[in-house]
Amino acid sequence: MNRSSIEVLSPAGDLEKLKTVIAYGADAVYMSGKEFGLRTFSDNFSHEEMIEGISYAHEHNVKCYVTMNIMAHEDDIEKIDDEILFVANVAKADAVIVSDPGVFRRVRQLVPNLEIHISTQANVTNSMGCNFWADQGASRIVLAREVSLEQLRQIKPKLNPKLTIECFIHGAMCVSYSGRCLLSSYFTGRSANKGSCAQPCRWGYYVVEEKRLEDTLPIEQDQRGTYIFNSKDICMIDHVPEMIESGVDSFKIEGRIKGAYYAAAATKVYREAVDKYFSGEKYEVDSRWKDILDKVVHRDYSTGFFFDNPGQDAKIVYDKSYNKPAFVVGVIDGYDASTGLHKVSQRNKLFVGDTVNVLTPKGYCEPLKAVSLYNEDMEVIDSTPHAQMTYYVKFDRDVELSKMTFISRDGDKDAGIAPSTRA
Ligand code: SF4
């Protein structure tokens, strides 16, 4: 086993996120076109953007896998031939991710040399299922999140040696079997199986007696109610060695609809963890990794199904919101050594005197204080009120932050801070 045998696979919800996770150390990205991948609430890629994104990734020796994993109905498949041919022959993806056997067969017929990964939506949970797909020509299985680490150890030696195994190592869980869920369709008409989940599993619920619909009876876990379907997120940063030694080939980070900051942070942390494991040094979890993961959007963390059926412990029964301890105030876009000014693209309001956390592609930087701010005309300002505005900042220490560095302010979970309205 060597360094290159474990892949850090990051979400690329759009072109910006693709470039960001590549800067933060992804070996591969997964992405979607506008129609056939789950996650319709991510911006996804137009054909032009997909060509640009895959070309950019290949220039940086990063692989691109394109999701075509919707539960395809008859009207979905009319355009699928064109999409398969485009993804393979024009965009030049390294693989497609599918779950529908019919889509799988069509890919094999049209582009027999294109690698096919079996999506977690196919819910493969055992070696027989893996080998079935290997016999059909699949090169990789994205195992269901419901497979334990012990089962993974048993599965791996029984596999067709051509197969690689991908596991979700970080990110959101479903209360159902990896998205096979009708809750959202039932409540909102938005199908989880076509990428439009409204996440009703995160909502609070009451019991209602059929003849007295106006009388909602609370289901009380505590005074705040209960959120009985609301799963915690997976975070396996404490268990990277066990994951590697159990035979996983690719560490998948969930989150194409989450922001670039989240994707960058998770990619950096797992990149460094994998590199640390293969460095020959004793593997220890760096406390800075946990600080980073605590600062991004997440629900309470858990180890999902990896160590046992998590049962009641998998749910957050007290709250439906994300923990969101930090919010991004800008992304660094340049540095002028002669003035010591950083050029920044605004994401939320920053004030003179604010202290910011720094997330940078390589290495670490202690928090910095913004001592002066300027607008694009180099006029002195005391805050950065306009969305996406370009501004310049001077920090209290003279450091050079590279492009795509995120600067953020600590938020307040309990206050549910709305960053853009902070005054
Ligand atoms: S409603 Fe919840 S459990 Fe169902 S698919 Fe959506 S996120 Fe998953």
Side-chain angles (χ1 to χ4, degrees), residues 226-268:
T226 186
Y227 300 91
I228 52 179
F229 302 130
N230 189 15
S231 300
K232 294 177 181 174
D233 288 356
I234 306 174
C235 174
M236 291 297 284
I237 192 59
D238 286 329
H239 304 285
V240 165
E242 294 114 292
M243 293 293 290
I244 293 173
E245 288 156 16
S246 69
V248 179
D249 300 288
S250 176
F251 282 179
K252 185 170 207 164
I253 297 165
E254 182 274 346
R256 276 188 290 137
I257 60 173
K258 292 178 183 162
Y261 177 53
Y262 159 87
T267 301
K268 178 182 176 78

Side-chain angles (χ1 to χ4, degrees), residues 39 121 172-185 187 190-193 196-202 205 229-231 299:
R39 304 290 175 265
Q121 293 292 119
M173 295 272 288
C174 278
V175 73
S176 64
Y177 241 86
S178 291
R180 292 209 169 202
C181 172
L182 292 175
L183 272 182
S184 182
S185 298
F187 281 123
R190 287 165 36 180
S191 171
N193 299 311
S196 302
C197 182
Q199 303 207 336
C201 61
R202 319 292 181 191
Y205 288 90
F229 302 130
N230 189 15
S231 300
R299 301 181 185 89

Side-chain angles (χ1 to χ4, degrees), residues 139-157:
S139 60
R140 175 175 294 186
I141 308 293
V142 189
L143 282 180
R145 290 171 175 86
E146 292 77 12
V147 173
S148 72
L149 208 51
E150 183 49 37
Q151 290 167 346
L152 193 52
R153 290 188 191 107
Q154 294 166 13
I155 288 170
K156 184 72 178 184

Side-chain angles (χ1 to χ4, degrees), residues 48-85:
E48 295 70 31
E49 289 166 338
M50 195 181 287
I51 292 168
E52 182 183 342
I54 293 177
S55 161
Y56 180 91
H58 287 168
E59 282 164 22
H60 292 80
N61 294 318
V62 169
K63 290 189 171 177
C64 289
Y65 311 140
V66 175
T67 59
M68 301 184 77
N69 57 349
I70 59 167
M71 297 283 164
H73 286 236
E74 211 51 30
D75 48 349
D76 293 317
I77 60 176
E78 284 167 9
K79 290 185 274 180
I80 204 136
D81 283 8
D82 289 345
E83 189 68 5
I84 292 168
L85 290 168

